[in-house]
Amino acid sequence: MQFTAAQIAALINAKVEGNPDAAISDIARIEEGRKEALSFVANPKYEHYLYETKAGIIIINETLVLERPIDATLLRVPDAYAAFAALLEKYNEVMAMGNVKKGIEQPSFIDATAQLGNDVYVGAFAYLGRNVKIGNNVKIFPHAYVGDNVVIDDDSQINAGVKIYHQCKLGKRVIVHAGTVIGADGFGFAPQGDGKYKKVPQLGNVVIEDDVEIGANTTIDRATIGSTFIRKGVKLDNLIQVAHNVEIGEGTVIASQTGISGSVKIGKRCMIGGQVGFAGHISIADGTKIGAQSGMLKPVVKEDTEYWGSPAFDFKAHLKSQVIFRNLPDLTQRIKQLEEKLNAVLVKGS
Amino acid sequence: MQFTAAQIAALINAKVEGNPDAAISDIARIEEGRKEALSFVANPKYEHYLYETKAGIIIINETLVLERPIDATLLRVPDAYAAFAALLEKYNEVMAMGNVKKGIEQPSFIDATAQLGNDVYVGAFAYLGRNVKIGNNVKIFPHAYVGDNVVIDDDSQINAGVKIYHQCKLGKRVIVHAGTVIGADGFGFAPQGDGKYKKVPQLGNVVIEDDVEIGANTTIDRATIGSTFIRKGVKLDNLIQVAHNVEIGEGTVIASQTGISGSVKIGKRCMIGGQVGFAGHISIADGTKIGAQSGMLKPVVKEDTEYWGSPAFDFKAHLKSQVIFRNLPDLTQRIKQLEEKLNAVLVKGS
Amino acid sequence: MQFTAAQIAALINAKVEGNPDAAISDIARIEEGRKEALSFVANPKYEHYLYETKAGIIIINETLVLERPIDATLLRVPDAYAAFAALLEKYNEVMAMGNVKKGIEQPSFIDATAQLGNDVYVGAFAYLGRNVKIGNNVKIFPHAYVGDNVVIDDDSQINAGVKIYHQCKLGKRVIVHAGTVIGADGFGFAPQGDGKYKKVPQLGNVVIEDDVEIGANTTIDRATIGSTFIRKGVKLDNLIQVAHNVEIGEGTVIASQTGISGSVKIGKRCMIGGQVGFAGHISIADGTKIGAQSGMLKPVVKEDTEYWGSPAFDFKAHLKSQVIFRNLPDLTQRIKQLEEKLNAVLVKGS
């Protein structure tokens, strides 16, 4: 299937610069562009590829100033990345046609008490326990385990091998990637004094609200009592640990391998890097940004601040300390020279 | 079902303060307490909720001194957390009645040579290989994989999708949460000189002793030769890495996302925070406490010490260095001033 | 089965020191050696066991100088570890005989359009989607999920519960351990300005070349467009995160729990420790060595260098700064003394 620059421009509201009849039949990364491919440049780091790529049509920001002429037809938009993403989505829809999973594959295990909505996909070897409620248009891929009394609302997608323990609730349009475990027991043990521990029963559940996406092999523990909450629109990457009774606020985004200890409350609109750790029982204000590998030991009270380091403190202050850390040998040398000079003065003066 | 304060006090050996006939039918977190709910306060950080909560009955430590009178009926015990945990367990048992998994669901795969004890649960799509031995009252949830010659002793619980490779051995009352992998090959490769590596066959197994609990999506590799040992009563959280030939001593507790390299030997009663890393082939003495995100590069010989940092050293010494790290810009400034003042002295003195 | 020192020496080209007729029937770690067992010492840290072990035959490096005589028969080779690994492999082959998985277990799900090579093993509950192509002698263990259009080439081994999303390609002799997820969606979301995010469709795939081994519960995301590449001979440990559009160069080895952000390009022959993090869009030169828990924020341009720290810089420079970090309280004390002395000089001089 071919599309012309003019057709694509109409789809994404772009201004055409160059030949509106240029046609493409594929998409490619800018550095791998071919004549018949559409590409995009949003990140200034990749602008130099504009002058090297063979891509036939390129989406760019309307503010971008060219250093020299380019063969490709350009489509200028306010936000090249968003426009390209929108286009990918349309492309995805077209490609997915006739390829959509539907119906109940066999063998699968669906308890007699489970309720299924319309247009549901249940893959082979999927397991739906007692009183499970599955909304309309939900996709449950092979090897997914949906425990007793779990509710999954409309248009959600549970990928292969996801494990959801009993009593958990998932909202609409939730996507969970393969291997993720939702609702395993929180890590709670009461020391018994004899060096042994007694398991604290974990009686709560996990509540995942609408429009959440969760990556692969992530773990979200059930609450001891009450619920672990993943609020609307949260995006979690792969291999993240969310302990019991945590709450992650609306629209917060967390990168891979971050670990959140029990009863932590993270605000809305936070952006959290990879491999960050949170100590238990702290609250993080809305809009907090946290650099990768940080260790958050204390609450963050003020909104929209930036943290970094382990233990973490103000982002810019941490950057300053880091620079000096690299120069510690110099600093030590300067102190040694001061000591020598001062001793010389003192000896001379005595 | 309703319980009075007097009934609960009898169950947990508490002293009643207030109305012994106050009745509850539910449990709740202290901050979400309602008249008909029982709650508890153990952590001093949560004491202020005592004066705000609507919970009808609250378990507290006998040593807690109230700042002002409280409406709720109080149950005083030596250890509020332990008492509440014990109560949750009784509650859990009552709630679980009539809800217990039993029998063999179909389709499941049980090799003709596998031996099953009494009162076993085998979920649909569970796989039991050749010569597998399953003890009495063991629960194997759906999608669990139990490789050839694996032994699982009485009263253990293998949750959905757990993968146990051939030859591994699990003791009594072991709980393994969903997605955890036991007995995958250790990471062993012999460099061949031409830039390529030759796989070292991993011929050992994993031995998990009684009363161990392992979280979700954790990985415990088999030994190259011999066994990787998880000793009695060890508690491992989610997403932990345990490499080949590691030994974790009795009663040690390890938080999420910690990684333990090959042939490390961790002592008894250790408490290890999240995201800690251990270099290969080191021994850690009994009773060692290690702060989150630490990097353990050297053996710990003395028992009952505390470590922190990456690389880790004495906990308190690390705390001091951290404080100065934050103030490095000040320190640099002081050195600069010293240099200026001293130069002035030298110029003047010359 | 028994083997003599002379027989083993012939297999691994060793020089016999001691009784060539000494016979063993088992292998053991040096510290657990018994008369009838073969063992080895390669790491100098373990040399002291030579004088304590009861092992009947020991493989050692030809350069090793004994401190005192040993009862065991010694087999001297240029590289004791490599020789032992080669021997284990032969042992493994012998032991595995008659124990090899073959054929199609039932129930399994093999789409009518899937193509299987010769001598394939497909375990019970394995799922092979549309147009899947499986080469000769491939082993697909129970609960593995192989999505539509996936290709797996000859002699590869897909362990229990591995999930491979549609369109991904695996080469020859690839080993993937249990629970690993290949081809889940990359973590790509376009901010919409209203605090919400729009999912960027992930249309690419993952390409894994020949002789790659991947540990348990690792995650490798598909490319947004194009491919995420794991090149020939790469070895990845457990619980590693590989984001969309990453490329890992030939022969590179990465330890557990390391996380690699989107579009990172790692060179050939790199050795990367555990729990390392890589910021997005950076390139790492061939032969780079990176210490555990490092944070790589910037590209590495020069080949064969060593990095450490978070953020990482030159390995040796980092070591120096670390040593001073431990002594920061001393350094502060020295500055304080300088200030006091200098003030005394200034007061006196005024």
Side-chain angles (χ1 to χ4, degrees):
Chain A
M1 208 157 18
Q2 278 211 331
F3 301 90
T4 65
Q7 286 173 322
I8 297 165
L11 277 172
I12 58 171
N13 260 329
K15 208 178 122 236
V16 180
E17 209 169 290
N19 177 14
D21 297 326
I24 56 93
S25 57
D26 198 5
I27 50 176
R29 301 172 72 190
I30 188 74
E31 58 268 48
E32 298 165 354
R34 298 172 310 278
K35 198 70 195 166
E36 65 282 7
L38 167 84
S39 196
F40 82 109
V41 171
N43 188 332
K45 277 176 70 172
Y46 290 89
E47 272 178 27
H48 65 97
Y49 283 119
L50 275 174
Y51 311 100
E52 305 164 16
T53 187
K54 295 199 165 52
I57 304 179
I58 310 172
I59 302 174
I60 58 171
N61 289 326
E62 59 189 10
T63 54
L64 192 149
V65 180
L66 291 181
E67 292 169 12
R68 55 177 189 274
I70 288 171
D71 281 344
T73 297
L74 298 176
L75 300 181
R76 289 187 177 268
V77 291
D79 181 337
Y81 185 61
F84 185 70
L87 209 61
L88 278 189
E89 193 173 33
K90 285 185 213 291
Y91 180 88
N92 197 23
E93 280 164 16
V94 172
M95 290 298 105
M97 263 180 223
N99 204 18
V100 171
K101 300 287 184 183
K102 264 184 213 161
I104 315 286
E105 290 178 353
Q106 292 303 342
S108 49
F109 182 100
I110 303 180
D111 191 274
T113 58
Q115 299 172 37
L116 273 69
N118 301 318
D119 296 316
V120 158
Y121 167 61
V122 178
F125 314 123
Y127 183 101
L128 279 53
R130 296 175 200 154
N131 302 313
V132 159
K133 283 193 189 115
I134 304 291
N136 298 321
N137 202 27
V138 168
K139 291 181 175 53
I140 313 266
F141 278 75
H143 308 117
Y145 169 83
V146 183
D148 296 347
N149 305 307
V150 165
V151 177
I152 302 176
D153 211 338
D154 299 348
D155 303 305
S156 288
Q157 180 180 331
I158 309 302
N159 283 284
V162 169
K163 308 302 176 200
I164 308 177
Y165 280 56
H166 54 286
Q167 248 78 25
C168 295
K169 290 187 194 322
L170 282 72
K172 296 183 206 297
R173 296 172 300 280
V174 169
I175 299 174
V176 185
H177 282 288
T180 281
V181 176
I182 295 170
D185 283 356
F187 195 62
F189 301 93
Q192 286 187 290
D194 58 352
K196 290 182 185 164
Y197 294 88
K198 201 170 175 59
K199 180 176 175 63
V200 179
Q202 305 290 311
L203 304 177
N205 71 347
V206 176
V207 173
I208 295 176
E209 297 186 348
D210 299 345
D211 298 304
V212 167
E213 182 159 344
I214 302 172
N217 282 350
T218 279
T219 58
I220 305 177
D221 284 352
R222 67 195 310 105
T224 309
I225 44 175
S227 300
T228 301
F229 288 103
I230 313 294
R231 299 295 186 189
K232 281 186 191 170
V234 164
K235 311 296 177 189
L236 300 181
D237 202 347
N238 301 340
L239 292 167
I240 288 173
Q241 150 74 349
V242 181
H244 59 95
N245 293 96
V246 163
E247 176 174 353
I248 303 181
E250 220 175 298
T252 282
V253 176
I254 305 183
S256 177
Q257 295 178 322
T258 283
I260 308 169
S261 298
S263 301
V264 166
K265 190 175 170 180
I266 296 180
K268 301 173 185 173
R269 299 177 295 102
C270 294
M271 300 186 72
I272 299 168
Q275 299 180 332
V276 172
F278 290 82
H281 296 270
I282 60 173
S283 283
I284 305 295
D286 294 350
T288 304
K289 289 191 170 70
I290 303 175
Q293 297 189 326
S294 293
M296 301 299 292
L297 300 186
K298 294 186 182 163
V300 173
V301 177
K302 204 180 154 199
E303 295 188 9
D304 298 308
T305 59
E306 291 188 50
Y307 279 71
W308 200 20
S310 173
F313 51 96
D314 174 72
F315 188 92
K316 280 179 189 164
H318 191 267
L319 210 54
K320 282 183 192 162
S321 285
Q322 269 173 18
V323 170
I324 302 173
F325 175 80
R326 290 179 73 139
N327 292 326
L328 279 179
D330 278 359
L331 217 63
T332 310
Q333 193 54 31
R334 281 163 69 185
I335 293 171
K336 208 179 149 201
Q337 285 172 356
L338 277 167
E339 287 168 339
E340 288 167 359
K341 284 188 192 174
L342 187 57
N343 275 342
V345 168
L346 292 174
V347 168
K348 200 176 147 190
S350 63
Chain B
M1 206 156 23
Q2 278 210 331
F3 301 91
T4 65
Q7 287 174 323
I8 297 166
L11 277 172
I12 58 172
N13 260 330
K15 207 178 121 237
V16 180
E17 207 168 292
N19 177 13
D21 298 326
I24 55 93
S25 57
D26 197 5
I27 49 177
R29 303 173 69 189
I30 187 75
E31 58 269 47
E32 297 165 352
R34 296 173 311 280
K35 196 73 195 166
E36 65 281 9
L38 168 85
S39 195
F40 81 110
V41 171
N43 187 331
K45 276 176 72 172
Y46 289 90
E47 274 180 25
H48 66 97
Y49 283 119
L50 275 174
Y51 311 101
E52 304 164 16
T53 186
K54 294 195 166 56
I57 304 178
I58 309 172
I59 302 173
I60 59 172
N61 289 328
E62 58 189 10
T63 54
L64 192 149
V65 180
L66 290 183
E67 292 169 14
R68 55 177 190 274
I70 288 172
D71 282 344
T73 297
L74 300 175
L75 301 181
R76 287 185 177 272
V77 291
D79 182 337
Y81 185 61
F84 186 70
L87 210 61
L88 277 189
E89 194 173 31
K90 285 185 212 292
Y91 181 89
N92 197 23
E93 281 165 14
V94 173
M95 290 298 105
M97 263 179 220
N99 203 19
V100 171
K101 299 286 183 185
K102 264 186 211 158
I104 315 287
E105 291 177 353
Q106 293 302 342
S108 50
F109 182 101
I110 304 180
D111 191 273
T113 58
Q115 300 172 37
L116 274 68
N118 300 319
D119 297 316
V120 160
Y121 167 60
V122 178
F125 314 124
Y127 183 103
L128 308 185
R130 295 175 201 153
N131 303 316
V132 160
K133 283 193 189 119
I134 304 291
N136 298 322
N137 202 25
V138 168
K139 290 181 176 55
I140 312 266
F141 278 75
H143 308 117
Y145 169 82
V146 183
D148 296 348
N149 305 308
V150 166
V151 177
I152 303 177
D153 211 338
D154 299 349
D155 302 304
S156 288
Q157 179 180 330
I158 308 303
N159 282 283
V162 168
K163 309 301 175 201
I164 307 176
Y165 280 56
H166 54 284
Q167 249 77 26
C168 295
K169 291 188 194 319
L170 283 72
K172 295 183 207 297
R173 297 172 301 279
V174 170
I175 299 175
V176 186
H177 281 287
T180 280
V181 176
I182 296 170
D185 283 355
F187 195 63
F189 300 92
Q192 286 186 290
D194 59 352
K196 290 181 185 165
Y197 294 90
K198 202 169 174 63
K199 180 175 177 64
V200 179
Q202 303 290 310
L203 305 176
N205 71 348
V206 177
V207 173
I208 296 176
E209 298 186 347
D210 299 345
D211 299 303
V212 167
E213 182 160 343
I214 302 172
N217 282 351
T218 277
T219 58
I220 304 176
D221 284 351
R222 70 196 308 107
T224 309
I225 43 175
S227 300
T228 301
F229 288 104
I230 313 293
R231 299 295 187 188
K232 280 185 193 173
V234 164
K235 311 295 178 189
L236 301 181
D237 201 348
N238 301 339
L239 292 167
I240 288 173
Q241 151 74 350
V242 181
H244 59 94
N245 293 97
V246 163
E247 176 174 353
I248 304 181
E250 218 175 300
T252 283
V253 176
I254 304 184
S256 177
Q257 294 178 320
T258 281
I260 307 169
S261 297
S263 301
V264 167
K265 189 174 171 180
I266 296 180
K268 300 172 185 176
R269 300 177 294 102
C270 294
M271 300 185 71
I272 298 168
Q275 299 180 333
V276 171
F278 290 81
H281 296 270
I282 60 172
S283 284
I284 305 295
D286 294 349
T288 304
K289 288 191 170 71
I290 303 176
Q293 297 188 325
S294 291
M296 301 299 291
L297 300 186
K298 294 185 181 164
V300 173
V301 177
K302 202 180 156 201
E303 296 188 10
D304 298 307
T305 58
E306 291 189 51
Y307 278 71
W308 200 20
S310 171
F313 52 96
D314 173 73
F315 188 92
K316 280 180 190 163
H318 192 267
L319 209 54
K320 282 184 193 162
S321 285
Q322 268 173 20
V323 170
I324 303 173
F325 176 80
R326 289 179 72 138
N327 293 325
L328 279 179
D330 278 1
L331 218 63
T332 311
Q333 193 55 32
R334 281 163 69 186
I335 294 171
K336 208 180 149 200
Q337 285 173 357
L338 279 166
E339 287 168 339
E340 287 168 358
K341 284 187 192 174
L342 187 58
N343 274 344
V345 169
L346 292 173
V347 166
K348 205 174 143 190
S350 64
Chain C
M1 207 157 17
Q2 278 211 334
F3 300 90
T4 65
Q7 286 172 322
I8 297 166
L11 278 172
I12 59 171
N13 260 328
K15 208 178 122 236
V16 181
E17 208 168 293
N19 177 13
D21 298 325
I24 55 95
S25 58
D26 197 4
I27 50 176
R29 303 173 69 189
I30 186 75
E31 58 269 48
E32 299 164 352
R34 298 172 309 279
K35 197 74 197 164
E36 66 280 11
L38 167 84
S39 196
F40 81 110
V41 171
N43 188 332
K45 278 175 72 171
Y46 290 89
E47 274 180 26
H48 66 96
Y49 284 119
L50 275 174
Y51 310 100
E52 306 165 15
T53 187
K54 298 198 162 54
I57 304 179
I58 310 173
I59 302 174
I60 58 171
N61 289 327
E62 59 188 10
T63 54
L64 194 149
V65 179
L66 290 182
E67 292 169 12
R68 54 176 191 273
I70 288 172
D71 282 344
T73 297
L74 299 176
L75 301 181
R76 289 186 176 270
V77 291
D79 182 339
Y81 185 61
F84 185 70
L87 210 59
L88 278 190
E89 195 174 32
K90 286 185 211 291
Y91 180 88
N92 196 24
E93 280 164 16
V94 173
M95 290 297 107
M97 262 179 220
N99 203 18
V100 171
K101 300 286 183 184
K102 262 185 212 159
I104 316 286
E105 292 177 352
Q106 293 303 341
S108 52
F109 182 101
I110 303 180
D111 191 90
T113 58
Q115 300 172 37
L116 274 68
N118 301 319
D119 297 317
V120 160
Y121 167 61
V122 178
F125 315 123
Y127 183 101
L128 307 184
R130 296 177 200 151
N131 303 313
V132 159
K133 284 193 190 116
I134 305 291
N136 297 322
N137 202 25
V138 169
K139 291 182 175 54
I140 313 267
F141 278 75
H143 309 118
Y145 170 81
V146 183
D148 297 347
N149 304 308
V150 165
V151 177
I152 302 176
D153 212 338
D154 298 349
D155 303 305
S156 289
Q157 179 181 333
I158 309 301
N159 283 283
V162 168
K163 308 301 176 202
I164 307 177
Y165 280 57
H166 53 286
Q167 248 78 25
C168 295
K169 291 188 194 320
L170 283 73
K172 296 182 207 296
R173 297 172 300 280
V174 170
I175 299 174
V176 185
H177 282 287
T180 281
V181 176
I182 295 171
D185 283 355
F187 195 62
F189 300 93
Q192 286 188 289
D194 58 353
K196 291 181 184 163
Y197 293 88
K198 202 171 175 58
K199 180 176 176 64
V200 179
Q202 303 290 311
L203 304 177
N205 70 348
V206 176
V207 174
I208 295 176
E209 296 186 349
D210 299 345
D211 299 304
V212 167
E213 181 160 344
I214 302 172
N217 282 350
T218 278
T219 58
I220 305 177
D221 285 350
R222 69 197 306 107
T224 309
I225 44 178
S227 300
T228 301
F229 288 102
I230 313 294
R231 299 295 185 190
K232 279 184 194 174
V234 165
K235 311 296 178 190
L236 300 181
D237 201 348
N238 301 340
L239 292 167
I240 288 174
Q241 151 73 351
V242 181
H244 59 94
N245 293 97
V246 163
E247 175 173 354
I248 303 181
E250 220 175 300
T252 283
V253 176
I254 305 184
S256 177
Q257 296 178 321
T258 282
I260 307 169
S261 298
S263 301
V264 166
K265 190 174 171 179
I266 296 179
K268 301 172 186 174
R269 301 177 292 104
C270 294
M271 300 187 71
I272 298 168
Q275 300 180 332
V276 172
F278 289 82
H281 296 270
I282 60 173
S283 284
I284 305 295
D286 294 350
T288 303
K289 289 192 170 69
I290 303 175
Q293 298 188 325
S294 292
M296 302 298 292
L297 301 185
K298 294 185 181 163
V300 174
V301 177
K302 204 182 154 197
E303 295 188 9
D304 298 308
T305 59
E306 291 189 50
Y307 279 72
W308 200 20
S310 172
F313 51 96
D314 173 73
F315 188 92
K316 280 179 190 163
H318 192 268
L319 211 54
K320 282 184 194 162
S321 285
Q322 269 173 18
V323 169
I324 303 173
F325 176 81
R326 289 178 75 140
N327 293 326
L328 279 180
D330 278 0
L331 216 63
T332 311
Q333 194 53 33
R334 281 163 68 187
I335 292 171
K336 208 178 148 200
Q337 286 172 355
L338 278 167
E339 286 168 339
E340 288 168 358
K341 285 189 192 171
L342 186 57
N343 274 343
V345 169
L346 291 174
V347 168
K348 202 174 146 192
S350 65

